[in-house]
Amino acid sequence: MRTPVTGLFRRLTRTPPAPGELPRAPQSLAPPLQFGRGLLQTLPGRLVILTSALLLALTIAQRTTLLPAPVDLFRKVVSLAWLGGLGWLAALAISRNRRAFLWRVRRKLILSYVFLGFVPVMLVVAFVLAGGVLLYVTVANYVFQEGYADAVEDVRQIAETAAIEIGRSPDRALAVIERKVANSTHRTLSLAVVPIAPDEAVPVAAVSGHGDLERAVASGPWQHGPPPTIVPRWVARASGFSGTIVSAAQPSSAEPLLVIRASVPTPDASRMVIADLPIDADAIARLHGRTGTTLRNMTLSGCGVPTGATTLEAHAGDVWALFRETVVSLTCVSWADGTTGTASINLDAPVGGIYERLASVNSAQLGANWSTFLKLLILLGGLFLVIQGSALVLGGVLAKSITSAVHELFIGTERVRQGDFAHRIRIDSTDQLGELAGSFNRMSASIERLLHVQREKQRLDDELRIAREIQKSLLPVRPPQMPGIDVADLCEPAREVGGDYYDFFEVGPRQLGVLIADVSGKGTSAALYMAELKGLMLALSHTERSPRRLLIDVNRLLCEHLDNRSFITMTYAVIDMAEQTLTVARAGHTPLIVVSGGRSDIVVPDGMVLGLRLPGASDRFERVLCEHTQSIATGDVIVLYTDGITEAMNGGGDMFGDEALAALLASHHALSVGGIRERVLREVKAFVGDAEPHDDMTMVVLKISGSEG
C-alpha cells in the first residue's frame, strides 16, 4: 500500500514507481527535431521548401519584368504560405527541442535576461519606427501639397496676366493666349477665352479669327480634351476658379486625367480666361523636381466621373519600402456643376529625396545638423551595445551563482535517493537558497524517522487488512433459505474494520436462530472477539433452544477471556415456524422491532451486556436477563439492528431514534425484505446528510411469508 509518507519521499527523491504502481506518463513522446529531418520529414518543412522555391522564382521574375495581376496575387499568397510554414516549423522545433536547449536552469535564466533586455528594446524600436513613419507621412504630404500648390499658383498667374492683357486689348485675345502658350515652359499648357453670358452659359463654337468678341478662342495642344466653350454658372458667380478637375476620357486612353485648371475673368467681366495644365508625364517630372516625389496611381471618388482607379504611371510597388511610398489626398471639382470629390494619389516619396528637397533651402546648416545627428546616433548605438553586453555578462554571473546552489541541491537529492541520509548541503549564502539548503538538510535528517513511521503504519495497515478478512469470513455469505421466512441483511462498517456481528443458525426443524451483536472497540481485537463469539454460538446453539439459557452460558464462558475494557451487547432470537412463535433474549443490545398487522412494537426484554469481569456480574446477569415469547403470523416483519442505525446523527447532533425506525417499518411493511432494507438505508442516509458516520450500521430484516416452497 502506498502511504502519503512514501509518496512524499518518492516525489522528493524521484525514484522509479513502486511495484504495482502505474508508471508516470512522459512529458513528451515525440523525439527531438533535427534541422535536416525537420525540413524533409515534416509537413511544415516541406511547405517551407516548396514556397521558398516558388518565392525565389517569382522574385527573380518580378525584378526582370512586370508581373500580371494574377501572378502578382499568387506571389502574395505564396509569401503568406511561406511565413505560415516558417512559423509552424519554428513552433514545432521549439516544442520538440525545448528539453534539449532549456533543460538547465542556467540557460533558462540567461534566456530570461535576454528576453528582459530584448523585448523592451524591440518595443522602443517599434515606437520609434511608428513615430518615424508618422513623421515621414506628414512631411511627405506637406512637401507634395506645397509643390502642387505652387504649380496651381503658376497656372493661375498665367491666366490672370492673360486676362489683364485681354482687358486692355479685347480684340487681341487670341494673340495674347498664343503668346502665353509659346512663352510658357509647360509643353502641355492650354489656354482658352470664353465669353460669359449675362444670364446663363451659352455655348459658342471656337474660332481662330481676331477681333470677334462674341466667340470663344483657344490655343495650346488641348490633348486632355476639347477646350471649354461655356463658362458654368457656378464659376461665373464665383468670379473665377483655381484648383484640380478631372478631365473626360482622353482621345488615346479610356482613363480620366487630373488637370490643374485656373479661370480668371477679364476686368470687364465679359470673358473668362481658362488655363489648363494636365498632370501628364511632363507635369509629374516637374513636380518631382519641386518636391522630390513621384505620382504613381490614383483612386477617384466623385469629381464628376465614375469612382475607380486610374494609373498615372506604371509602377511595381515594393511592399517592404516603409519610408518610400505614401498616400496623399487632393480635392477635385466637377467643372460641370462644381461638386467636389477626392483623388487619393500613391506617391513614390523616398525619404532621401524629401531630405534633399528640404536641404536645398539651407543646405549648409542642414548638412551640419545631419552630420551631428549621425555622430550622436552612432554614439548612442555603441553605448547601447556596451550596456546590453554588460547586462548579459552580469546576468550570466548571477545565473551561475544561482544555478550552482541549485546544482548542490540536485546532488543532495541524488545522495538521499541512494540512501545516504547523512549527506548535508553546504551553501554559504544567506538568501532563500541558503534557507532552502537548511530546510533540505533538516528534511534529510527527518526522513529516517518518517520511514520508521511509514513502516509502523504499514504494519498497522496489514493488521487492519487481516482483521478485515477475519470479519468478512465471520459474516454469513448469504441469508439462510428457510421455507416461510424471507431474510435480508445489511452490514456497512464505519471504518475498515467494524465491531458489528450477525449470524443465522438452524437450531431445529423449521426453527431459525438469529443473532446480532456489537463488540466494543474496533480493529483486530474486535474481530478476534467476534471469532470467539461465533465459535461459542456454533457450539451452544445446537444444545440450547432457549435464548436466555444460551446467553447465560455464553456470558459465563466470555467472562474468562475478555479483558476489563471489553464487552459485548447481543440479541438472540429463535423463530419457530411450526409453533408460529418468536422467542428472544436481549443482553444490553438495542431493541427488537416487530411489525404485525401494520402496527410496530418495540420489544425490549431486560438484560445486561456480556463479558463484564466485575465481582458478582455473572450472577446479576442471570437475574436480570429475561426471555420474551410472542406469536407471529403471516406478513409479520421482524427487524434486528445495531445502534449505528438508530443513533445515526445529522449535522445538528440529532439522532434518528427507535421511534422513527418503528414508524418507518410500519409504513413500509408491505414491501419485500429487500425493499424494506433499502428504504431504511435510504432514509437513514438522507437524515444524516453530509455528516460523517460514527458507527457501523448492521440490520437483519425477516418477514413471515407463510409459504412452504
Side-chain angles (χ1 to χ4, degrees):
M1 181 180 295
R2 183 176 179 179
T3 63
V5 176
T6 57
L8 174 62
F9 179 72
R10 286 170 184 161
R11 286 194 297 269
L12 290 174
T13 58
R14 299 182 182 178
T15 56
E21 182 183 3
L22 292 177
R24 296 180 181 177
Q27 293 182 355
S28 177
L29 298 177
L33 184 66
Q34 299 179 359
F35 179 74
R37 294 182 179 179
L39 287 178
L40 297 176
Q41 298 181 0
T42 62
L43 180 60
R46 299 190 189 103
L47 179 63
V48 169
I49 294 176
L50 178 61
T51 53
S52 298
L54 290 175
L55 196 59
L56 178 62
L58 292 173
T59 302
I60 295 175
Q62 182 186 15
R63 297 298 181 183
T64 57
T65 184
L66 181 62
L67 296 178
V71 178
D72 188 64
L73 178 61
F74 177 71
R75 180 185 63 83
K76 295 178 180 178
V77 172
V78 171
S79 300
L80 293 177
W82 180 79
L83 291 175
L86 195 62
W88 188 3
L89 184 62
L92 184 62
I94 291 175
S95 64
R96 292 280 187 89
N97 299 298
R98 64 180 183 272
R99 292 183 61 84
F101 62 86
L102 286 180
W103 70 275
R104 289 187 179 274
V105 179
R106 184 176 302 173
R107 295 179 182 178
K108 293 182 180 180
L109 290 176
I110 294 176
L111 189 61
S112 66
Y113 294 147
V114 172
F115 283 153
L116 289 176
F118 182 73
V119 173
V121 171
M122 289 297 99
L123 290 177
V124 171
V125 171
F127 280 120
V128 171
L129 189 62
V133 170
L134 181 61
L135 180 62
Y136 159 74
V137 171
T138 303
V139 172
N141 273 266
Y142 172 76
V143 171
F144 174 78
Q145 295 286 359
E146 286 294 316
Y148 191 82
D150 291 343
V152 173
E153 181 63 20
D154 290 346
V155 176
R156 192 194 66 81
Q157 288 182 359
I158 293 174
E160 185 176 0
T161 56
I164 293 174
E165 292 185 17
I166 292 173
R168 295 173 182 170
S169 304
D171 55 343
R172 301 184 65 251
L174 182 58
V176 170
I177 60 176
E178 286 180 347
R179 179 167 47 83
K180 291 289 184 181
V181 170
N183 295 335
S184 176
T185 58
H186 300 286
R187 294 186 298 103
T188 57
L189 177 68
S190 302
L191 287 172
V193 181
V194 182
I196 300 176
D199 294 328
E200 58 184 3
V202 178
V204 291
V207 297
S208 58
H210 293 272
D212 193 341
L213 304 181
E214 301 300 331
R215 291 185 176 272
V217 293
S219 178
W222 289 100
Q223 297 176 357
H224 58 283
T229 58
I230 61 172
V231 178
R233 183 174 300 175
W234 69 273
V235 177
R237 291 178 178 177
S239 300
F241 164 78
S242 62
T244 305
I245 67 170
V246 180
S247 70
Q250 305 175 63
S252 60
S253 175
E255 296 176 346
L257 183 68
L258 290 181
V259 177
I260 298 176
R261 174 168 288 184
S263 59
V264 179
T266 58
D268 58 358
S270 62
R271 282 177 289 183
M272 185 75 70
V273 178
I274 300 175
D276 279 8
L277 180 64
I279 307 300
D280 53 5
D282 181 68
I284 291 174
R286 289 177 176 272
L287 285 174
H288 177 75
R290 288 185 175 186
T291 63
T293 62
T294 304
L295 282 73
R296 293 303 183 188
N297 53 67
M298 70 176 179
T299 301
L300 299 175
S301 176
C303 306
V305 296
T307 301
T310 178
T311 302
L312 297 172
E313 179 181 340
H315 174 63
D318 189 359
V319 296
W320 306 107
L322 187 60
F323 291 94
R324 181 178 179 85
E325 297 180 359
T326 184
V327 178
V328 297
S329 297
L330 290 178
T331 301
C332 53
V333 180
S334 174
W335 180 253
D337 53 12
T339 57
T340 60
T342 303
S344 298
I345 302 175
N346 290 344
L347 286 183
D348 185 5
V351 65
I354 295 177
Y355 175 76
E356 291 177 0
R357 173 62 183 169
L358 295 176
S360 62
V361 179
N362 192 349
S363 58
Q365 183 65 27
L366 285 178
N369 293 340
W370 179 251
S371 177
T372 304
F373 176 73
L374 286 179
K375 293 179 181 178
L376 181 61
L377 189 62
I378 294 173
L379 178 62
L380 291 177
L383 182 62
F384 169 75
L385 292 178
V386 171
I387 293 175
Q388 285 293 104
S390 302
L392 185 60
V393 171
L394 293 177
V397 173
L398 181 60
K400 182 178 180 181
S401 65
I402 295 174
T403 54
S404 297
V406 175
H407 181 69
E408 288 291 331
L409 289 171
F410 173 73
I411 295 299
T413 303
E414 289 296 315
R415 296 289 293 272
V416 170
R417 185 181 67 84
Q418 296 170 4
D420 184 8
F421 301 106
H423 178 75
R424 296 294 181 267
I425 298 175
R426 291 182 295 273
I427 297 179
D428 299 331
S429 62
T430 57
D431 53 7
Q432 286 85 354
L433 290 174
E435 294 292 332
L436 180 60
S439 299
F440 185 87
N441 292 333
R442 291 189 294 270
M443 180 198 68
S444 60
S446 62
I447 284 181
E448 185 67 28
R449 180 179 58 83
L450 293 177
L451 291 178
H452 176 73
V453 172
Q454 185 267 335
R455 287 192 293 267
E456 184 66 20
K457 189 175 185 302
Q458 183 69 41
R459 184 184 64 81
L460 295 176
D461 290 340
D462 293 340
E463 291 185 0
L464 289 176
R465 180 179 55 81
I466 295 172
R468 177 72 170 175
E469 295 298 328
I470 294 174
Q471 183 188 32
K472 290 172 62 177
S473 65
L474 295 176
L475 297 178
V477 178
R478 64 181 62 86
Q481 303 293 325
M482 179 169 285
I485 302 177
D486 296 335
V487 184
D489 53 358
L490 168 69
C491 184
E492 287 193 2
R495 301 178 185 174
E496 292 187 1
V497 178
D500 288 359
Y501 167 60
Y502 70 96
D503 211 339
F504 306 97
F505 309 97
E506 294 187 8
V507 297
R510 301 188 65 191
Q511 291 181 347
L512 179 65
V514 183
L515 164 69
I516 189 166
D518 188 357
V519 181
S520 64
K522 301 290 185 289
T524 309
S525 61
L528 294 177
Y529 289 147
M530 288 170 57
E532 186 176 1
L533 178 61
K534 183 179 181 69
L536 292 175
M537 292 299 299
L538 287 174
L540 297 176
S541 61
H542 292 87
T543 59
E544 291 288 349
R545 298 293 186 271
S546 170
R548 181 178 181 276
R549 289 195 300 270
L550 186 143
L551 291 182
I552 291 173
D553 293 342
V554 170
N555 179 67
R556 176 174 51 81
L557 296 173
L558 284 177
C559 287
E560 300 175 0
H561 301 89
L562 295 182
D563 58 30
N564 294 331
R565 297 172 297 177
S566 300
F567 59 89
I568 299 174
T569 66
M570 185 173 67
T571 296
Y572 181 62
V574 176
I575 301 174
D576 191 341
M577 292 299 296
E579 300 293 335
Q580 294 288 301
T581 59
L582 168 67
T583 304
V584 60
R586 185 181 69 92
H589 199 68
T590 54
L592 177 78
I593 298 178
V594 179
V595 182
S596 180
R599 179 175 174 272
S600 292
D601 292 329
I602 302 177
V603 181
V604 192
D606 292 338
M608 60 182 293
V609 297
L610 294 164
L612 289 179
R613 299 184 63 180
L614 297 175
S618 179
D619 296 337
R620 180 173 176 79
F621 179 85
E622 187 174 351
R623 290 196 307 271
V624 173
L625 187 64
C626 295
E627 187 176 85
H628 172 77
T629 303
Q630 70 178 61
S631 60
I632 55 176
T634 301
D636 289 355
V637 177
I638 304 167
V639 179
L640 294 83
Y641 56 92
T642 61
D643 54 0
I645 299 289
T646 55
E647 294 182 4
M649 291 188 295
N650 57 16
D654 301 325
M655 292 191 297
F656 190 74
D658 297 318
E659 291 78 7
L661 179 59
L664 178 63
L665 294 173
S667 59
H668 297 91
H669 71 281
L671 298 175
S672 64
V673 288
I676 295 173
R677 176 189 60 190
E678 298 302 324
R679 175 66 65 174
V680 171
L681 182 61
R682 185 167 58 197
E683 291 294 333
V684 171
K685 289 187 175 181
F687 176 80
V688 172
D690 297 333
E692 189 73 18
H694 71 284
D695 204 353
D696 311 329
M697 291 194 299
T698 304
M699 181 174 62
V700 177
V701 182
L702 304 102
K703 188 171 186 179
I704 308 302
S705 62
S707 173
E708 297 294 333

